[in-house]
Amino acid sequence: MIFRQLFHQETGTYTYLLASRKGGEALLIDGVLDRADRYMQLLQQLELKLVKVLDTHVHADHITAMGELRDRTECVTVMGVQAPIDVVSMRVDDGEMVTIEGIQLQALYTPGHTIDSYCYRMADRVFTGDTLLIRSTGRTDFQGGNSLAAHKSIFTKLLTLPGDMLVYPGHDYKGDTVSTIAEEKAFNPRLQVASAGEYAHIMDNLNLANPKMMDVAVPTNIAMGLGQSDAENPNWALTVGQLMALQESSEFALVDLREESERAANGQIPGSVHAPYNRLENFIGAGGLLHGMAGASAKPLLYYCTYGERSAMAVQASQRAQGGGLENVSHLVGGIAAWIEAGGPVEKV
Ligand SMILES: [Fe+2]
């Protein structure tokens, strides 16, 4: 496995880069905007293709690199279902998997530091975000933080993991880089408590100043969706209302870009073809399924995903596809989430 722990000095933030092999797919956890150039350089040097970026929660102390990296690499942005963010490509719930080539992370919903905090677990390590730090824990006094919830998350979701599991936190301010579950259980001063009430008493009396960048970082991090003027470009975007009016006549060939797990959870718009976003290049290049379907005599293609982010990027990728860009491709604004909300029919897959 390729594993890099990157540090942002000014905010003490750790960013993690994961890949299973040189030349393969990569995932980045908790990137900082200021370091986007550095991540891009490292990806290039290690010959990696960034396919997913995720944040463990909406950060208050730095601006996330997710939007920037998505715009540069057309990767998929991932956050928890509770994240109060305008658009991400993909949302995960407790227990679900985030998958790239050769690597699986299990999402553990661990509210407390914030309402949307998640930890991500692999076989030998867990990325704890700000839920569990080395010899400390994340504050619980803003963004829906709750000290009792934090206690429950830490004690029931993290300290129950194997003792030798490595702990990679979202921050460190003292120079530590990694710990283990057993070490934190034994030596983390905040965890030497007899009850949730005792923990809450400690956390509710920390009297910390707000992070310097909080007033800028939180609103910016919440609004990192694709520019809506782009995604709603009438030349290649269709609204749910327009599609509903047209669907009876089957005017479009519907293409579902989501992953199997998302399709299994929510079903598909009836009659869709499946062409997952992570293999888009194969489908849109000469000889690919979508390239063939988009031929002049066929119906125009209508891409959709969960929220309309991947599909907007896929239209743009299709327009410049190798072996001749695809004409007549558009996407569904707001994705299947908007379709379902408007009462559109879905079928199980
Ligand atoms: Fe945080």
Side-chain angles (χ1 to χ4, degrees):
M1 182 171 78
I2 295 173
F3 175 72
R4 294 288 181 278
Q5 182 177 33
L6 299 146
F7 188 57
H8 182 244
Q9 182 94 33
E10 293 87 331
T11 59
T13 302
Y14 284 128
T15 299
Y16 299 96
L17 177 69
L18 296 166
S20 62
R21 64 177 177 94
K22 187 176 174 182
E25 294 184 352
L27 172 142
L28 191 89
I29 301 175
D30 285 335
V32 179
L33 180 60
D34 298 357
R35 293 294 178 271
D37 286 341
R38 170 68 183 133
Y39 308 146
M40 292 301 296
Q41 181 191 45
L42 187 57
L43 288 162
Q44 193 202 8
Q45 290 170 341
L46 302 180
E47 297 173 27
L48 298 174
K49 178 181 183 337
L50 186 65
V51 296
K52 282 184 181 154
V53 288
L54 69 83
D55 273 6
T56 51
H57 61 291
V58 170
H59 297 285
D61 64 332
H62 66 264
I63 295 176
T64 177
M66 280 205 301
E68 178 73 16
L69 293 171
R70 172 205 58 209
D71 292 348
R72 291 203 203 179
T73 68
E74 298 183 336
C75 66
V76 172
T77 52
V78 183
M79 285 196 78
V81 291
Q82 296 82 0
I85 183 170
D86 65 344
V87 181
V88 286
S89 299
M90 201 170 171
R91 290 180 186 264
V92 289
D93 208 341
D94 187 40
E96 291 180 356
M97 294 293 181
V98 176
T99 306
I100 64 165
E101 176 199 10
I103 291 182
Q104 277 205 320
L105 300 177
Q106 186 180 34
L108 306 175
Y109 180 43
T110 53
H113 169 58
T114 61
I115 190 73
D116 64 336
S117 288
Y118 273 76
C119 297
Y120 288 90
R121 178 197 171 166
M122 294 176 66
D124 67 339
R125 65 195 66 198
V126 58
F127 300 97
T128 55
D130 295 355
T131 299
L132 177 62
L133 306 174
I134 298 175
R135 308 300 191 265
S136 185
T137 55
R139 61 193 297 176
T140 55
D141 56 336
F142 52 66
Q143 292 176 273
N146 180 310
S147 51
L148 291 171
H151 179 274
K152 186 175 175 196
S153 293
I154 294 168
F155 280 80
T156 65
K157 290 266 180 66
L158 295 178
L159 298 191
T160 51
L161 295 172
D164 60 355
M165 183 163 279
L166 299 170
V167 171
Y168 283 102
H171 286 289
D172 195 86
Y173 309 100
K174 310 175 300 295
D176 290 314
T177 54
V178 60
S179 180
T180 66
I181 291 292
E183 242 181 88
E184 291 311 308
K185 209 185 264 184
F187 305 118
N188 190 319
R190 291 203 183 147
L191 305 184
Q192 312 309 312
V193 291
S195 67
E198 192 184 334
Y199 184 74
H201 182 76
I202 295 173
M203 298 308 289
D204 296 346
N205 291 284
L206 293 176
N207 299 317
L208 301 169
N210 279 343
K212 270 182 290 193
M213 283 184 65
M214 183 167 168
D215 294 339
V216 181
V218 172
T220 306
N221 289 341
I222 285 173
M224 56 136 259
L226 268 189
Q228 290 305 301
S229 54
D230 272 3
E232 292 178 15
N233 182 332
N235 292 326
W236 49 266
L238 206 72
T239 64
V240 161
Q242 288 171 318
L243 177 61
M244 283 184 168
L246 290 169
Q247 219 210 359
E248 285 301 301
S249 55
S250 302
E251 204 163 312
F252 289 93
L254 289 161
V255 180
D256 183 0
L257 301 174
R258 295 170 302 156
E259 297 183 8
E260 284 296 355
S261 59
E262 299 174 280
R263 287 161 50 77
N266 294 307
Q268 67 170 10
I269 300 178
S272 302
V273 170
H274 183 213
Y277 182 75
N278 61 359
R279 299 212 305 275
L280 187 71
E281 278 167 34
N282 302 338
F283 294 121
I284 61 180
L289 170 75
L290 299 178
H291 198 271
M293 284 173 66
S297 61
K299 291 179 192 175
L301 303 186
L302 183 68
Y303 293 168
Y304 71 92
C305 57
T306 305
Y307 303 108
E309 188 166 284
R310 275 170 282 182
S311 56
M313 295 192 291
V315 169
Q316 294 170 66
S318 297
Q319 289 169 347
R320 48 165 207 269
Q322 294 197 333
L326 310 190
E327 310 274 325
N328 259 337
V329 180
S330 43
H331 89 118
L332 183 63
V333 175
I336 197 170
W339 175 258
I340 291 171
E341 192 175 321
V346 290
E347 65 184 12
K348 276 200 168 10
V349 292

